[in-house]
Each structure stands twice: as C-alpha cells, then as structure tokens.
Amino acid sequence: MASNLETLVTVFGGSGFLGRNVVRALCKRDYRIRVAVRRPELAGYLQPSGKVGQVHTIQANLRYPASVEAAVRDSDVVINLVGVLTEGGGQTFDAVQARGAETVAKAAAAVGARLIHVSAIGADAESPSRYAKAKAAGEAAVTAAVPAATIFRPSVMFGPEDQFTNRFAALARMSPVLPLIGGSTRMQPVYVGDVATAIADAVDGKAKAGATYELGGPEVLTMREIIEAIVAIADRKPMLVPLSFGLARFQANFLQFAPGAFKLTPDQVTLLERDNVVSDAAKAAGLTLEGLGITPDSLEAIAPQYLWRFRPQGQFQRKSV
C-alpha cells in the first residue's frame, strides 16, 4: 500500500486561519505539503506542524499565473483556501476569489491534479454583496476548469485565531456598549478544526468528486445569541444596542478605515442581511459534515478554551451568585 508521503498536496493560503489547521490535519495523515503563500518568510511557524522536510513553503500570488503554475508543478492534489474578508490594494474580491480561483483551477487541470476549493455559504451570483458574488464567480470558474473539483462552503468559522469570536470578545473588553447589527440573522458557526478535517478527508478521497458541501456547526443561532454567548464566556456584560442596517451601513462608510476590531465595511453589513446556514438541499444529499461522518463541535464547547483570556480574572470565571 502506497504511503501518503508519496502524495504531494499543494495548499494555497496555507498560512491563514483555516490554512494552518488544514496543514496540521494533513501532516497528521503523513502527506507531503507544499504551502503556497505570498510571504513564505512569514510562514516559518508551519514547519513544526509536521516531520522534518514534510512541510515546504514557496512564494505564489494568485494574481500572477506564472507563480501559481510553478507552485502546482508535480502536485497530486491542490487545495485553494485563499480568500479576503476586506479589500486592500490589489487584493480585491474579484482578483482573489474569482479570477484567482480560476487561475488555481486552470493550473491544477494542466497538471492533472485533484482540486479542492473552499468557498463560503452565501456564495450567490445574484447577491447584493460583492464578497458573495466573487465567491460564486470563483465556484463557477472552478467547476468550468475542473468539473470533478470538490467545493466546500463553510458557515462563519470560529477557533483560537479567528477574527470573529475574538473580535467581539475584544470589543466587549474595551467598551461597555456593543452595537448589534442583524441581531435576528441566523448563522451556523462551525469549528475551524472540523472544516480542516473535512478537507483532509477529501484529500483521502472520502468526499464526492464534483460535489459542493455546506459545512455548519451543530446549532443555528441568531447573531444576538452568538454575541451573548461570546460575552458570557468572556465574563463581560456590555449593553447590546441594536442598529438598523441603514445606520450600520452609514457608519461602515467611516469604520472601513478603522484599525483592528473596530473595522467594519459596508459589504460586511450587506452580508449580515442574509442568513448563513446549511441548506435543506445539502442536508438531504448528505453534503454536510455529518455526511462525511464528522460530528461538529459547538461554539459553547470550544470557545471557552481560548476566550478565557478576555476574562477579568483570566482563566478563572466569576461564579454566579
């Protein structure tokens, strides 16, 4: 039986939030991993994820096809995780998530590699969100170039290095008041480790070729319920002040230039107007985490393991009186 060490997996975006979890999952299964990133000198922390020589980083930028073609050379499997939550410079939604996805797909097709592409729940060519439109365009380009590609659409992901739960916990630590945008919008937060496991399973050949999977956690929660859970874990008690989408979008015109946790773009507000949950069609077809035999972890089970650092007492949470 051939060893997985004979299989070369090239991971675009392997240094990001999802990427580092995917690299760890693949290392545990003994694959050889080539991590293609824009700044390989900043991705050295990935080396200890595997054995000596198992992980190799190289430079590649989805906006430059020649670098992508060089990165996929001799690959057996190609995984594209690259995405941007906000635009900046040449890193636009269209450049990265639409044209960039097409570039990776065509390069994978040229070398005969299997392709796994990560999109997002909410990808829709008719969406008013430019992010969601670009995700849909990327999916279309991928299936056109590699019809047998497996596509994963996760809901909002959480985990130790996320920009979701950590962001709201940080804001709750800094301010006694938190704006609540889209409080009734439903989401299905999914643990990043479960998404990484699904991708590794696809590399193993356990996922259906040419299928689109929708990955969500075990619970469907409103945005209000999610934020309430986050601040409770962080042992903070900010006042949640509902904001209309119109007012939030007006404020986002200015906050899109803000640093760190305060940053909010008009497109992010637009995304919050629609539910972000696994569809009934995906459930019926078994194109979910459960369909892959993965029991998803809940926000309540995982988030306390890393959000404790936002508590006033650190690891020790106040007991209710």
Side-chain angles (χ1 to χ4, degrees):
M1 183 175 178
S3 166
N4 283 344
L5 284 173
E6 297 177 14
T7 301
L8 176 60
V9 183
T10 295
V11 184
F12 287 90
S15 63
F17 170 50
L18 174 57
R20 66 191 69 184
N21 285 274
V22 169
V23 169
R24 282 196 290 264
L26 293 174
C27 282
K28 290 178 181 178
R29 303 185 190 203
D30 290 333
Y31 287 103
R32 281 192 300 131
I33 305 161
R34 178 186 291 158
V35 181
V37 292
R38 288 190 298 155
R39 299 287 301 277
E41 71 275 12
L42 301 180
Y45 59 85
L46 293 172
Q47 300 297 332
S49 299
K51 302 178 179 71
V52 175
Q54 188 179 1
V55 179
H56 176 60
T57 56
I58 63 170
Q59 198 282 330
N61 188 322
L62 266 58
R63 293 187 289 119
Y64 298 94
S67 71
V68 174
E69 292 164 5
V72 303
R73 190 174 298 130
D74 300 323
S75 298
D76 298 292
V77 184
V78 173
I79 303 174
N80 181 22
L81 308 175
V82 181
V84 290
L85 294 173
T86 58
E87 298 175 301
Q91 297 295 101
T92 66
F93 294 141
D94 285 336
V96 175
Q97 294 168 176
R99 296 192 299 275
E102 180 179 27
T103 298
V104 172
K106 287 182 175 179
V111 298
R114 289 195 290 125
L115 177 63
I116 299 166
H117 177 75
V118 175
S119 181
I121 286 180
D124 182 358
E126 302 301 320
S127 172
S129 162
R130 291 185 297 108
Y131 170 90
K133 277 185 177 179
K135 283 289 189 182
E139 289 186 8
V142 164
T143 54
V146 186
T150 299
I151 296 175
F152 287 110
R153 290 179 168 181
S155 184
V156 59
M157 290 183 285
F158 64 88
E161 305 96 358
D162 71 31
Q163 296 182 38
F164 179 56
T165 60
N166 283 286
R167 176 183 184 179
F168 286 111
L171 288 172
R173 181 173 61 182
M174 292 185 284
S175 173
V177 177
L178 280 185
L180 177 62
I181 306 167
S184 61
T185 300
R186 299 184 308 145
M187 295 188 175
Q188 202 166 344
V190 60
Y191 175 46
V192 66
D194 292 332
V195 176
T197 297
I199 293 169
D201 282 352
V203 176
D204 284 345
K206 297 177 182 178
K208 296 178 183 178
T212 297
Y213 287 78
E214 297 186 9
L215 311 181
E219 298 177 303
V220 174
L221 304 168
T222 65
M223 192 65 180
R224 173 181 282 276
E225 289 171 334
I226 292 170
I227 295 178
E228 287 176 342
I230 292 169
V231 298
I233 292 168
D235 198 17
R236 301 285 175 174
K237 298 181 179 179
M239 179 185 297
L240 300 184
V241 179
L243 287 185
S244 68
F245 287 115
L247 180 56
R249 191 171 289 106
F250 174 76
Q251 292 186 346
N253 287 322
F254 305 97
L255 291 175
Q256 63 183 317
F257 304 109
F262 294 100
K263 190 179 186 69
L264 178 69
T265 70
D267 199 71
Q268 288 173 333
V269 175
T270 299
L271 281 172
L272 286 170
E273 293 185 60
R274 292 190 176 186
D275 291 342
N276 194 275
V277 299
V278 174
S279 67
D280 290 337
K283 293 177 186 176
L287 300 176
T288 61
L289 284 173
E290 292 84 353
L292 288 167
I294 299 169
T295 301
D297 287 303
S298 68
L299 181 68
E300 184 180 18
I302 299 295
Q305 298 175 28
Y306 60 91
L307 289 184
W308 61 263
R309 65 193 180 92
F310 293 99
R311 295 173 183 164
Q313 293 81 25
Q315 276 185 298
F316 305 99
Q317 189 172 17
R318 278 197 298 262
K319 294 182 179 180
S320 299
V321 178

